[in-house]
Amino acid sequence: MRLVLQGGRILDPSRQIDQEGDLVIEDGKIAGIVASGSARGEITRDVRGKLVTPGLIDIHVHLREPGFEYKEDIESGTRAAAAGGFTAVCCMPNTNPAIDTAAVVRQIIERAEQVGSARVYPIAALTRGMEGGQLSEIADLKAAGAVAISDDAFPIQNAETMRRGMEYCAQFGLTLMTHNEEKTLTVGGAMNEGLTATVMGIPGIPRVSEDIAAARNILLAHLTGCRLHLLHISTAGTVELLRLAKASGIAVTGETAPHYWALTDAACEGYNTNAKMNPPLRTPQDNAAILRGLADGTIDAIATDHAPHAPYEKEREFDQAPFGILGLETSFACVYTQLVKPGILSLSDAIAKMTCIPARLLGIPGGTLETGASADVSVFDLETVWTVDPAQSRSKSRNTPFAGWELQGRASFTVLGGRIIEV
Amino acid sequence: MKHLLSLRETDAADIRRILETAAAFKEILRRPVKKVPTLRGKSVVTLFYESSTRTRTSFELAAKYMSADAVNIAVAQSSVTKGESLKDTLRTLEALTADCVIIRHSSSGAAHLAAQCVRIPVINAGDGRHEHPTQALLDILTIWEHKIVGREDDTYPRALSSERPFDLRGLTVAIVGDLAHSRVARSNVWGLTKLGATVRWVGPKTLLPADAHQLPVRVHTRLEEALEGADVVMALRLQTERQEKGLLPSLREYSRIWGISPRTLRYARPDALVMHPGPMNRGVEISAEVADGEGGIRAAIEEQVTNGVAVRMACLYLLMGEMMGAGE
């Protein structure tokens, strides 16, 4: 079976390729790039004028299965992923039961193989039940297919637990992905501490709560030699800490998400629970620092922290509504509109932060159009200008702060192991 | 005016309109038969998720003096304890044909959420640490009565018919205490500054909200500075659990440094008016002598309560009665 994507602009940052041509896919694998119009195949798709890249990879999503299928499940979450141009996502362990046993890891992988429109790589919990106490059976979890370990949603407060967790992960070569929050500084907090929170009367989450936890985790990574990945960086302080840590040779990486450069805490005005996530939206100074961190390479990857919640859960008192927003379907358009078009990142650097770099961070396949690689490909129309309409989302949930935004660039379709996934 | 949710979102003209109406309604409260038929046939629901005696009673009496039917929902006995959401509760009240909902809630923004759920007017009777607009309105009415009406030997009706009623330019109001957690302080900042007053906030750093200096207030930690030349000193209630949360060493130290007593009140103008939204912790944020207005100290704490009824009558009238009157 031969599939040809004809005449697109093929951009593969993993090999510094940016050329027009036909991408040839044979039996689910990349067969090569040839001159436009020269390839023949059983199936051909005309992608002239479109952008062809390795399938996007999001290393930070919440698919909510098992346990919270009313918010999202693997089927709907990966459909949202495909609609956003993603062919692989890494799902966080705060499910019910948590991803803390090999059985749950295998269940997610099997389910994704049956119903998924994208690959799913589970991230396992550092501690059992995400309770911050006893370590999970990390070797077992890795053997079952977990690609990394995390404490996302329930950040480890005890420094001894974090230290031993890192030592344990390090011996298996697993990356530990940390949600950086010193919780004694955030009790009751529901949005960034600052003028808007003061005016709204909402208890604040100070920026320093993220910076202190990031600093501690960086120091423990230095001590233990564990590979550390800082999740959803939202503050100027944590960007600077990451920059300093990298300069001192510590094995630490970091990601941010579009809302941390596109929005500030002012988006919470009117008690907009679709602008409530953790870490929270910060200040214009933080937006600027995030952009600088992306541009100078301090921030390695762009993720989404896609976190669906049912409408009735968000239609609540602001302080009682859950944290989290959707991200998969708007991420690429935000990146293209807000980073590439204004010249903050080249298109190639932007795609690298969503393909080969995240793949390398967690050691997962994909992120390349190398001959012989699994044919996971995304095709984008960069000219399309569209308005974000939550009602059209493939997710089961509707909680996006970008409703009504006009964005440019949209996935046309993806290819997953040689199979075309229409969006 | 569709709802009364916050003074930040209420413009000066509407604030003046409420205050003028309240000033006119005060006369009703002095009658032997305190009842007018203005809101006959209307029903008002007070939905209180937090306990309150003074505010709920004030709204209830205001409704009854206007001949509206007032029903109180004590949340502890309602279906809310069975897990009903605020949205569903509000929709149910609307379906029961209530004409106005007055809501008190521990979550900031609850009144805004309520207003989004229904078409009937919603009055915010205090939401978390966000706002308590009717409290600030009654405070402003009290300040005006003491500081403007009396000043030029003016009579009440003459002051009301002045070209720019409720002009508070030249007045300095110092609000003292737990500003971080105070909805009263927030509503007062917007209301007072929109009418031209100067507002100062003073309290321990641990009880000041973040970035307060970006609000239209002068922020102080030293009481002496904040009270200097103040026309009005408003003491806020100090929740006694603040010291357990590590925000204060002791009530004793708080009272000595930020408490309003005859000693500390000397920093303010000699004719300074002392106010308190109640309920008071005598001996903590305010000394008994000051609260009771002993030794020539001017305290208006009970007048504030009376003005609260008039202000709430005005709010109910403007949100429900005017439309009805226009149709007749």
Side-chain angles (χ1 to χ4, degrees):
Chain A
M1 245 293 283
R2 191 174 234 240
L3 164 66
V4 180
L5 304 181
Q6 287 179 322
R9 174 183 171 188
I10 300 169
L11 178 64
D12 180 4
S14 77
R15 293 183 302 146
Q16 282 98 45
I17 286 171
D18 186 356
Q19 66 181 72
E20 232 170 62
D22 289 356
L23 182 69
V24 184
I25 292 161
E26 205 148 3
D27 299 327
K29 304 238 183 291
I30 304 286
I33 299 168
V34 297
S36 285
S38 65
R40 297 281 171 273
E42 283 98 324
I43 305 172
T44 58
R45 288 292 284 257
D46 181 355
V47 293
R48 279 176 295 175
K50 295 195 172 169
L51 178 72
V52 179
T53 71
L56 303 186
I57 297 170
D58 187 344
I59 55 174
H60 186 174
V61 305
H62 298 267
L63 293 180
R64 306 301 190 200
E65 185 177 346
F68 305 100
E69 289 86 351
Y70 66 96
K71 299 175 195 260
E72 194 79 289
D73 59 23
I74 289 166
E75 187 176 359
S76 64
T78 57
R79 227 179 310 123
F86 292 91
T87 58
V89 294
C90 302
C91 60
M92 283 295 171
N94 58 330
T95 47
N96 186 20
I99 308 179
D100 62 355
T101 60
V104 181
V105 172
R106 279 195 291 268
Q107 182 194 336
I108 289 168
I109 292 172
E110 275 166 31
R111 185 89 187 128
E113 280 166 1
Q114 288 159 7
V115 301
S117 302
R119 297 181 198 284
V120 177
Y121 297 107
I123 297 165
L126 181 62
T127 57
R128 291 189 187 196
M130 304 206 78
E131 285 170 359
Q134 203 176 339
L135 292 175
S136 310
E137 292 179 330
I138 285 168
D140 233 29
L141 288 159
K142 185 185 181 189
V147 297
I149 304 297
S150 183
D151 68 346
D152 192 34
F154 301 97
I156 302 290
Q157 296 301 294
N158 184 305
E160 166 73 1
T161 305
M162 183 58 91
R163 175 195 176 169
R164 299 305 176 197
M166 283 192 185
E167 285 174 342
Y168 205 83
C169 286
Q171 65 192 343
F172 298 108
L174 282 164
T175 300
L176 185 63
M177 307 169 85
T178 57
H179 170 116
N180 306 294
E181 180 181 349
E182 169 54 55
K183 290 195 83 97
T184 57
L185 287 167
T186 66
V187 177
M191 65 180 285
N192 183 52
E193 182 178 286
L195 179 64
T196 307
T198 290
V199 168
M200 290 171 61
I202 297 291
I205 298 175
R207 294 183 288 170
V208 74
S209 63
E210 180 170 338
D211 304 341
I212 286 175
R216 181 200 73 173
N217 291 340
I218 288 168
L219 293 171
L220 289 173
H222 182 51
L223 175 73
T224 60
C226 181
R227 273 210 315 270
L228 172 67
H229 177 75
L230 304 177
L231 294 167
H232 43 40
I233 295 171
S234 75
T235 65
T238 297
V239 174
E240 189 53 29
L241 286 164
L242 177 57
R243 190 175 284 127
L244 292 171
K246 285 182 163 185
S248 3
I250 302 170
V252 55
T253 56
E255 68 177 41
T256 191
H259 43 280
Y260 295 121
W261 71 70
L263 294 165
T264 66
D265 55 3
C268 299
E269 276 271 13
Y271 302 94
N272 176 13
T273 56
N274 287 334
K276 180 180 177 182
M277 75 294 291
N278 190 11
L281 299 174
R282 305 286 188 180
T283 68
Q285 290 76 33
D286 295 295
N287 293 159
I290 299 277
L291 292 176
R292 275 195 304 279
L294 284 163
D296 71 11
T298 301
I299 299 175
D300 302 85
I302 297 166
T304 67
D305 193 7
H306 180 82
H309 291 292
Y312 73 83
E313 294 176 299
K314 281 290 195 178
E315 284 172 3
R316 289 214 56 165
E317 297 87 334
F318 189 90
D319 57 352
Q320 290 172 37
F323 291 106
I325 59 164
L326 302 182
L328 285 165
E329 289 164 283
T330 47
S331 182
F332 176 80
C334 283
V335 168
Y336 187 67
T337 310
Q338 296 149 7
L339 302 183
V340 177
K341 288 201 74 187
I344 290 156
L345 284 182
S346 69
L347 185 58
S348 176
D349 286 346
I351 295 297
K353 287 183 191 298
M354 304 176 84
T355 55
C356 53
I357 295 174
R360 194 187 65 223
L361 294 185
L362 300 189
I364 55 180
T368 180
L369 298 177
E370 208 171 1
T371 302
S374 177
D376 294 358
V377 184
S378 299
V379 177
F380 297 96
D381 183 338
L382 295 181
E383 300 307 316
T384 301
V385 176
W386 57 291
T387 304
V388 179
D389 175 9
Q392 305 285 315
S393 175
R394 275 73 164 181
S395 167
K396 285 188 180 180
S397 294
R398 298 288 176 259
N399 48 314
T400 172
F402 295 115
W405 281 46
E406 206 169 77
L407 298 172
Q408 186 172 341
R410 199 169 194 179
S412 302
F413 61 92
T414 65
V415 179
L416 185 64
R419 175 167 62 104
I420 290 179
I421 310 281
E422 303 289 355
V423 305
Chain B
M1 224 170 53
K2 172 99 181 66
H3 306 285
L4 180 64
L5 304 178
S6 71
L7 291 193
R8 181 174 170 235
E9 296 154 300
T10 306
D11 61 28
D14 277 338
I15 291 173
R16 286 202 167 89
R17 206 151 63 96
I18 297 168
L19 293 170
E20 279 170 48
T21 311
F25 281 168
K26 277 195 82 171
E27 182 265 325
I28 298 169
L29 299 177
R30 287 190 289 265
R31 291 182 193 173
V33 178
K34 301 188 290 284
K35 206 158 186 101
V36 291
T38 318
L39 295 180
R40 200 170 52 199
K42 295 282 173 184
S43 53
V44 171
V45 175
T46 54
L47 178 63
F48 273 54
Y49 288 80
E50 270 185 345
S51 61
S52 153
T53 309
R54 150 186 341 236
T55 305
R56 188 176 58 71
T57 309
S58 180
F59 269 110
E60 217 171 307
L61 288 174
K64 286 178 173 166
Y65 295 158
M66 307 282 284
S67 299
D69 294 305
V71 179
N72 173 51
I73 298 184
V75 166
Q77 297 149 25
S78 76
S79 53
V80 172
T81 53
K82 299 176 191 162
E84 188 174 60
S85 72
L86 183 64
K87 183 179 173 180
D88 288 339
T89 303
L90 263 293
R91 292 239 168 124
T92 303
L93 294 179
E94 188 174 41
L96 287 165
T97 70
D99 295 300
C100 179
V101 174
I102 295 154
I103 182 169
R104 156 74 59 100
H105 200 291
S106 58
S107 291
S108 298
H112 282 77
L113 178 63
Q116 283 163 21
C117 300
V118 290
R119 290 177 297 272
I120 54 175
V122 173
I123 297 177
N124 183 4
D127 62 326
R129 45 178 93 167
H130 172 230
E131 283 215 35
H132 190 355
T134 56
Q135 176 70 41
L137 290 165
L138 73 86
D139 290 338
I140 294 168
L141 181 61
T142 309
I143 292 169
W144 175 77
E145 286 177 348
H146 275 263
K147 293 293 166 186
I148 308 288
V149 179
R151 191 160 60 185
E152 281 148 25
D153 193 28
D154 222 344
T155 61
Y156 206 98
R158 259 230 316 278
L160 256 184
S161 63
S162 83
E163 221 167 84
R164 207 163 168 274
F166 303 102
D167 186 348
L168 303 184
R169 279 180 297 182
L171 286 183
T172 297
V173 180
I175 307 179
V176 187
D178 184 1
L179 296 146
H181 302 90
S182 176
R183 53 193 173 213
V184 175
R186 283 172 179 72
S187 280
N188 264 301
V189 165
W190 303 117
L192 287 165
T193 56
K194 282 177 187 190
L195 299 181
T198 299
V199 180
R200 298 176 188 161
W201 274 9
V202 56
K205 183 77 182 111
T206 48
L207 295 179
L208 287 170
D211 294 341
H213 60 280
Q214 292 179 43
L215 294 169
V217 294
R218 289 293 298 271
V219 181
H220 302 266
T221 53
R222 286 171 53 90
L223 189 65
E224 187 174 351
E225 281 172 20
L227 261 49
E228 195 192 334
D231 299 284
V232 178
V233 177
M234 193 182 289
L236 298 173
R237 178 178 169 78
L238 184 80
Q239 303 278 344
T240 48
E241 67 263 21
R242 300 293 174 227
Q243 54 174 336
E244 285 142 35
K245 295 202 171 143
L247 296 172
L248 289 173
S250 69
L251 296 182
R252 179 184 157 278
E253 180 157 307
Y254 177 84
S255 163
R256 197 170 61 75
I257 301 178
W258 291 280
I260 302 302
S261 65
R263 175 178 62 82
T264 55
L265 200 55
R266 278 203 296 272
Y267 302 138
R269 283 173 60 100
D271 63 348
L273 181 70
V274 178
M275 302 173 72
H276 192 295
M280 290 184 281
N281 295 305
R282 282 170 185 260
V284 182
E285 72 267 5
I286 190 164
S287 74
E289 301 96 302
V290 174
D292 296 331
E294 286 173 12
I297 289 169
R298 298 190 187 194
I301 293 154
E302 279 140 38
E303 285 167 62
Q304 287 174 269
V305 177
T306 308
N307 282 342
V309 181
V311 157
R312 286 160 186 138
M313 286 165 73
C315 294
L316 291 171
Y317 171 70
L318 291 171
L319 288 171
M320 289 193 300
E322 258 199 337
M323 293 179 296
M324 188 177 69
E328 277 173 0

